[in-house]
Amino acid sequence: PSTDLAQPGTFASVRPVLERNCVHCHDSNRLGHMPAFDSTKSLAKLTGPATWIIPGKPEMSRFFQVCTFADEIPMAMPPSGHAISRPEIELLRAWISNGAPIPAGRNLHLKPQGPLPRSI
């Protein structure tokens, strides 16, 4: 049976959001203080209690918080003069609410998609 892997709450649904909005800056060439979001292995290191992504608790997850800050708030992500779209925020919320599942068994690399966000 075929299943839609991109349904809300799945990693497949948030991968394009991460690739469009995060990976440009949060890759292997990032500044040392920035967390990496460029692979499932690096995301797994950021997921768990008292980490950047708290499974089941989007509003308590620092990752989700900075993605939902208004542009004028310091630390709003991406720092590009445009917020992540409401539908993309809802995909992130559903994924974290669903436990922030990450495919196990292999390390998937995320690649930047679209134009490079303007940095402030």
Side-chain angles (χ1 to χ4, degrees):
S2 169
T3 59
D4 180 10
L5 297 178
Q7 66 188 351
T10 64
F11 178 76
S13 72
V14 297
R15 184 176 185 168
V17 177
L18 298 171
E19 290 181 330
R20 276 192 300 271
N21 297 289
C22 307
V23 179
H24 289 88
C25 298
H26 291 269
D27 64 1
S28 59
N29 295 322
R30 72 194 185 286
L31 297 174
H33 67 282
M34 296 168 56
F37 300 137
D38 61 343
S39 70
T40 52
K41 183 177 180 180
S42 62
L43 278 171
K45 290 178 183 178
L46 301 172
T47 304
T51 60
W52 279 82
I53 302 168
I54 302 171
K57 299 180 179 181
E59 282 74 17
M60 294 183 67
S61 299
R62 183 69 177 157
F63 168 75
F64 186 77
Q65 292 169 357
V66 299
C67 290
T68 58
F69 285 164
D71 282 342
E72 61 274 6
I73 295 176
M75 300 303 298
M77 292 291 144
S80 57
H82 71 280
I84 295 175
S85 73
R86 174 62 46 201
E88 289 176 322
I89 290 295
E90 292 310 315
L91 288 172
L92 293 173
R93 182 191 313 275
W95 175 62
I96 296 170
S97 293
N98 193 39
I102 298 171
R106 60 186 185 147
N107 187 26
L108 302 174
H109 290 277
L110 283 68
K111 299 192 181 342
Q113 301 295 320
L116 178 67
R118 177 182 58 80
S119 180
I120 58 172

